Amino acid sequence: MKKLFFSLAIVILGTLGLNWPSFLNFFQCKPDLLLIFTVGLVFYTDFKTAFLFGILAGLVKDVFLPWHFAINTVCFGTWSYCVYRLSGQITIEEDYVRWGIILVAALLNNFIIGLQSVTTGNIMPPGIFLRNLIIVSVYTTLLSPLVFKLTKKIAALS
Amino acid sequence: MLKLPRKTVINFVLPALAVLLVFNFLSCFKNPVQKTFKPHLSLIGLVKRELLGIVFYHRNMVLADKLQTDVNLLRWRLFDFRELSQENARLTNLLNFKQKSSLRLVAAKVIGRSIDSWSSSVIIDKGRYNGIKTGMAVVSPQGLVGSIVESSENTAKVLLINDPNQGVSGIVQRTRQEGLVSGTLGTSLIMRYLLDDAAIMAGDIIVTSELSQIYPKGLLVGRVVKIGREFSGLNRYALVKPVVDLANIEEVLIIIP
């Protein structure tokens, strides 16, 4: 039952990402809701579930991107594993720690995707690169409490 | 002399006299009694008026609520009509373009946009079933939109011209100067590989060239807004403002070769 709801949440967040209202765009940037969900899963469920659904969320994101390499599937799985390992080293119960983790994950994720885009020969002005790196990450962090709440509620289901 | 019978006097005359006496007597009491009752009556009148006012207010309140609901409903309808009217105008525009154009075109609706900020693409509601294949050019009545990069049974993915992965062979309409137009994820496109002495200036119109294998020749791409020199110093580049509002595009036309 819980797994069904997690799958449903991925579909809903993916649909929301695809149809994100333009008036909610901040400097033409939209938040990465699926990344928040992936990291949130590590906080509220066991590693196995978080890892599997993290990969699924990455896969959903990659399906709707015009690239052939499933970079988000790889990255989301990696972030799940890294956050899980990190949770063994530091306490992740505080909200600000969780926000910090999501900010770092978003920055790294955007940096890798941006770097991949630039190294494949695409021209991207530094301003656009920084905009997508910083504003998207901060926007993602700002929206994380809402997605965390959803993840927590689903995780609490029996 | 008239002599009334005793019975008549008792039955009629005496009661009549009593009534007259009471009425005369009453007039003496009228003023003081009325004066005594006046404040109460006024108060009762006031209370009655206020009560009626409350009833009236309540009735008006209910009416106002109903009217407000009607206004909201009509506002929504007006909004719907405006949306329909705008859609109608856009579709008419598309249809006119389709009818005038010599190209074989398929109209499609945008049903989704890029899921992240690192790419610029849209998903359309037509796919292989409608003859849409990878590599087909996508246009709008204003100009070039992009190309199909993926096609499934009922949907297709369009890579917009402002995506960095997109490259269009373009020429300056005025001087026939060639260059490669690619996206930057920003509001402008970049036209690269322009010769140092290229005859190009701000305001020039860029159209697709015949060298492009995907796009038909002469499709409007955009207008030059700025010219600069590349870092290497060997070539110049031009920033091109696309003619199509790519961020808000809702309907597109796919060119079937």
Side-chain angles (χ1 to χ4, degrees):
Chain A
M1 191 68 176
K2 209 192 284 185
K3 285 178 180 167
L4 183 76
F5 277 107
F6 279 139
S7 310
L8 203 66
I10 289 174
V11 172
I12 291 168
L13 293 173
T15 311
L16 204 61
L18 283 169
N19 292 291
W20 191 251
S22 53
F23 64 87
L24 286 178
N25 278 353
F26 195 61
F27 287 100
Q28 295 176 30
C29 293
K30 49 174 85 174
D32 196 340
L33 301 175
L34 289 169
L35 177 68
I36 309 172
F37 186 69
T38 301
V39 176
L41 281 170
V42 185
F43 297 148
Y44 301 111
T45 60
D46 58 295
F47 173 67
K48 202 177 145 195
T49 311
F51 187 72
L52 282 174
F53 281 96
I55 286 177
L56 187 67
L59 200 68
V60 167
K61 198 178 166 190
D62 281 323
V63 161
F64 292 107
L65 286 173
W67 309 321
H68 296 293
F69 180 58
I71 192 162
N72 285 292
T73 312
V74 176
C75 283
F76 281 22
T78 311
W79 305 140
S80 284
Y81 179 71
C82 290
V83 175
Y84 167 71
R85 288 303 298 264
L86 192 70
S87 65
Q89 307 289 318
I90 60 164
T91 173
I92 53 163
E93 299 305 311
E94 296 290 336
D95 280 343
Y96 63 87
V97 178
R98 290 178 175 179
W99 295 340
I101 289 171
I102 194 80
L103 180 65
V104 172
L107 278 168
L108 286 172
N109 198 59
N110 284 319
F111 185 72
I112 290 169
I113 295 172
L115 211 62
Q116 179 246 348
S117 182
V118 170
T119 50
T120 47
N122 294 327
I123 286 195
M124 194 180 294
I128 304 269
F129 185 90
L130 287 174
R131 180 196 78 181
N132 284 357
L133 180 68
I134 296 165
I135 295 177
V136 172
S137 304
V138 173
Y139 198 8
T140 302
T141 310
L142 289 175
L143 280 186
S144 62
L146 293 174
V147 184
F148 281 168
K149 208 174 230 180
L150 173 82
T151 320
K152 195 179 175 183
K153 284 223 163 136
I154 299 172
L157 293 170
S158 53
Chain B
M1 180 130 178
L2 180 72
K3 194 178 175 186
L4 291 167
R6 190 185 167 86
K7 207 175 172 179
T8 311
V9 170
I10 292 168
N11 281 343
F12 297 103
V13 178
L14 280 179
L17 282 172
V19 169
L20 280 172
L21 192 69
V22 166
F23 269 98
N24 278 334
F25 187 67
L26 195 67
S27 62
C28 305
F29 282 94
K30 247 183 186 170
N31 272 344
V33 171
Q34 276 178 356
K35 264 187 192 169
T36 317
F37 273 77
K38 195 189 169 192
H40 303 94
L41 287 172
S42 305
L43 188 70
I44 288 167
L46 189 75
V47 171
K48 197 177 155 189
R49 203 173 63 228
E50 288 305 313
L51 281 172
L52 280 172
I54 289 169
V55 171
F56 185 67
Y57 169 78
H58 186 261
R59 201 192 300 147
N60 274 359
M61 195 181 75
V62 172
L63 192 68
D65 275 352
K66 192 181 167 301
L67 288 173
Q68 189 61 50
T69 314
D70 287 352
V71 166
N72 288 340
L73 191 76
L74 288 172
R75 204 172 279 164
W76 271 110
R77 276 195 188 159
L78 191 69
F79 179 76
D80 274 356
F81 282 137
R82 213 173 285 161
E83 273 292 301
L84 282 174
S85 160
Q86 282 177 1
E87 192 182 5
N88 189 24
R90 283 199 312 268
L91 292 176
T92 310
N93 206 5
L94 276 182
L95 193 66
N96 285 343
F97 179 75
K98 203 176 159 182
Q99 281 171 346
K100 280 179 197 165
S101 173
S102 55
L103 303 161
R104 215 178 122 217
L105 301 163
V106 171
K109 233 179 169 72
V110 173
I111 54 167
R113 287 174 196 282
S114 185
I115 200 165
D116 73 353
S117 304
W118 291 101
S119 62
S120 186
S121 60
V122 292
I123 296 162
I124 54 169
D125 66 345
K126 297 274 165 70
R128 279 199 299 266
Y129 183 76
N130 305 90
I132 311 295
K133 287 179 192 153
T134 306
M136 286 179 173
V138 181
V139 294
S140 84
Q142 287 80 40
L144 187 64
V145 172
S147 62
I148 305 282
V149 283
E150 255 178 64
S151 176
S152 66
E153 196 58 33
N154 292 306
T155 59
K157 209 178 284 170
V158 180
L159 191 67
L160 302 179
I161 49 168
N162 65 340
D163 188 284
N165 286 300
Q166 185 68 276
V168 181
S169 176
I171 49 167
V172 181
Q173 198 180 41
R174 185 175 57 88
T175 59
R176 317 313 285 176
Q177 176 67 51
E178 280 195 42
L180 181 74
V181 182
S182 47
T184 60
L185 284 179
T187 50
S188 300
L189 312 172
I190 188 164
M191 188 175 186
R192 292 185 290 161
Y193 309 122
L194 292 169
L195 295 176
D196 201 29
D197 57 349
I200 184 170
M201 54 193 265
D204 273 345
I205 289 169
I206 307 297
V207 293
T208 51
S209 85
E210 58 194 337
L211 289 179
S212 175
Q213 289 178 339
I214 298 175
Y215 309 104
K217 185 190 168 190
L219 284 176
L220 192 57
V221 178
R223 199 177 283 271
V224 175
V225 285
K226 194 184 162 191
I227 295 155
R229 190 174 293 275
E230 280 188 13
F231 186 70
S232 63
L234 297 172
N235 297 101
R236 289 204 293 168
Y237 69 86
L239 289 182
V240 179
K241 181 104 184 144
V243 282
V244 182
D245 182 9
L246 297 164
N248 299 306
I249 194 158
E250 287 179 64
E251 289 95 16
V252 291
L253 293 164
I254 300 105
I255 300 174
I256 311 283

